[in-house]
Amino acid sequence: MKLSHLRDVIAVAEHGSLRAAGRQIGVAQPAITRSIREVEQELGATLFERHARGVRLTEIGAAFVRRASAVHSELRRAREEVDQLKGRNVGEVAVSLSTASSLSLMPSAVKAFRKRCPDALLKISESFFRPIEADILAGAVDFYVGPIDIVQVSQQFTVEKLFDNRRLILARKDHPLANARKLSDLVDAEWVRPVLSGNNADVDVDLLFEEQGYDPPRVALHARSAMVMLLVIMNSDLLTILPEQWLDFPLLSNLVAPLPLDEPIAGVPICIVRRRDMPLTPLAEIFCDLMRRAALNYVHRRDAERGP
């Protein structure tokens, strides 16, 4: 089985169509069809079944693609790593960042990376750790930067803490509770719960109230979109709780404000998470180091703004 076979199977699986896969990778449809047939003959199993709009993976096909994707990613990275060790900063870096990391760390890191490695392709996705855990293990994502509960991370990963974080309770600028200083002032408030991942402890408002001995607050709305959540907050009396980095976005800081609570609300630390058994490529290591520097600069700036 050749590398091109794996490439073709993965492309068809991703696009759900032989024609679309061929367009994406620049291979004629008959050649794609022949490649798929050769793989199925070698395996003695059917990988795809046809339907009205294209093809879909069989159960066996889905299992094969999971393994094939990991192999294909590692082979591509091996080829790129050789080029990079020879002094050519070419290839891909795929990272996944939380919204907080994107707002506070990504802009300066990307700017520096583009200046240093202009011929490289940087792929950035927005996520929390759990949804992309398997992608890191499969090699589809080089590393993750964002909030994570370190004690719950599998030993398959290396976790590097960048800084401890803080959360804020946000409301529209003229909110009736804009001057609230204690959590007890908010027991009758209604809330928006961000549901931006399947397991996002960093915005768990129920836990915050329970830790202080209060009943869980009334959650009036679940928002699976950051845009929906912000629009609701700006146009209602609902409150929400988010990492402080959200206020680094100038447009948002002009429309919402944190409640001036006397006690800061601890957040989950911001960390870098990567595979333990495989080093980053030189190019990925460059971007990882730039994220470290961005985090260090962020902490210095934040501490200076807070004062002694």
Side-chain angles (χ1 to χ4, degrees):
M1 194 176 301
K2 300 177 181 178
L3 182 59
S4 60
H5 285 129
L6 300 183
R7 176 203 64 196
D8 297 343
V9 171
I10 294 168
V12 173
E14 289 179 347
H15 293 86
S17 162
L18 297 171
R19 181 177 299 174
R23 284 198 303 266
Q24 177 65 30
I25 62 178
V27 177
Q29 183 176 336
I32 293 277
T33 301
R34 183 169 58 254
S35 179
I36 299 298
R37 187 180 302 117
E38 289 171 354
V39 175
E40 291 180 329
Q41 289 174 348
E42 181 173 341
L43 296 175
T46 300
L47 301 181
F48 296 94
E49 57 186 17
R50 293 186 176 276
H51 62 89
R53 296 185 179 181
V55 297
R56 65 170 65 94
L57 287 166
T58 63
E59 182 179 355
I60 291 176
F64 178 78
V65 166
R66 282 196 297 270
R67 301 291 185 181
S69 296
V71 171
H72 189 262
S73 293
E74 290 303 328
L75 287 173
R76 178 181 58 77
R77 276 172 168 73
R79 184 170 57 246
E80 293 176 354
E81 188 165 10
V82 170
D83 285 337
Q84 292 160 24
L85 290 171
K86 289 161 60 177
R88 299 179 60 218
N89 285 331
V90 296
E92 297 180 3
V93 178
V95 299
S96 189
L97 310 176
S98 70
T99 302
S101 301
S102 297
L103 291 170
S104 60
L105 309 182
M106 181 188 68
S108 62
V110 169
K111 182 179 180 180
F113 184 80
R114 293 295 306 138
K115 184 176 180 179
R116 184 170 176 179
C117 307
D119 297 323
L121 175 62
L122 189 57
K123 295 183 175 180
I124 299 177
S125 60
E126 186 175 344
S127 177
F128 289 98
F129 175 68
R130 293 302 178 193
I132 52 89
E133 182 177 358
D135 292 333
I136 297 178
L137 291 175
V141 173
D142 289 297
F143 61 90
Y144 162 81
V145 183
I148 193 165
D149 186 346
I150 298 175
V151 299
Q152 294 184 2
V153 180
S154 164
Q155 290 299 309
Q156 295 173 291
F157 300 96
T158 296
V159 180
E160 174 187 347
K161 187 172 83 169
L162 296 177
F163 55 86
D164 289 312
N165 210 18
R166 189 176 70 169
R167 295 173 294 174
L168 303 173
I169 294 176
L170 300 181
R172 60 182 172 84
K173 280 289 181 76
D174 55 349
H175 196 284
L177 295 171
N179 296 316
R181 305 195 68 88
K182 297 180 180 180
L183 198 62
S184 58
D185 297 332
L186 310 178
V187 293
D188 295 324
E190 295 185 323
W191 296 74
V192 175
R193 172 176 287 138
V195 190
L196 306 179
S197 79
N199 183 18
N200 183 11
D202 200 41
V203 293
D204 190 348
V205 66
D206 291 2
L207 181 61
L208 173 64
F209 274 75
E210 290 171 6
E211 288 174 344
Q212 298 294 322
Y214 301 113
D215 291 334
R218 183 176 184 276
V219 176
L221 189 147
H222 285 189
R224 295 186 178 275
S225 158
M227 180 64 72
V228 168
M229 177 184 62
L230 296 175
L231 287 173
V232 170
I233 293 299
M234 290 186 291
N235 293 281
S236 74
D237 285 341
L238 298 180
L239 305 176
T240 196
I241 179 170
L242 289 169
E244 61 182 343
Q245 288 80 19
W246 281 69
L247 287 184
D248 290 340
F249 186 47
L251 178 61
L252 180 59
S253 62
N254 291 330
L255 298 171
V256 300
L259 302 189
L261 300 184
D262 292 332
E263 295 295 328
I265 304 171
V268 181
I270 301 295
C271 303
I272 296 173
V273 186
R274 54 197 282 187
R275 281 175 59 177
R276 183 179 296 276
D277 64 344
M278 188 67 64
L280 296 177
T281 65
L283 205 59
E285 191 63 68
I286 289 173
F287 189 69
C288 190
D289 187 55
L290 290 171
M291 292 294 287
R292 293 188 188 98
R293 296 183 189 182
L296 184 62
N297 291 335
Y298 171 79
V299 171
H300 287 164
R301 184 176 69 253
R302 181 191 66 181
D303 292 348
E305 291 173 352
R306 288 181 183 175

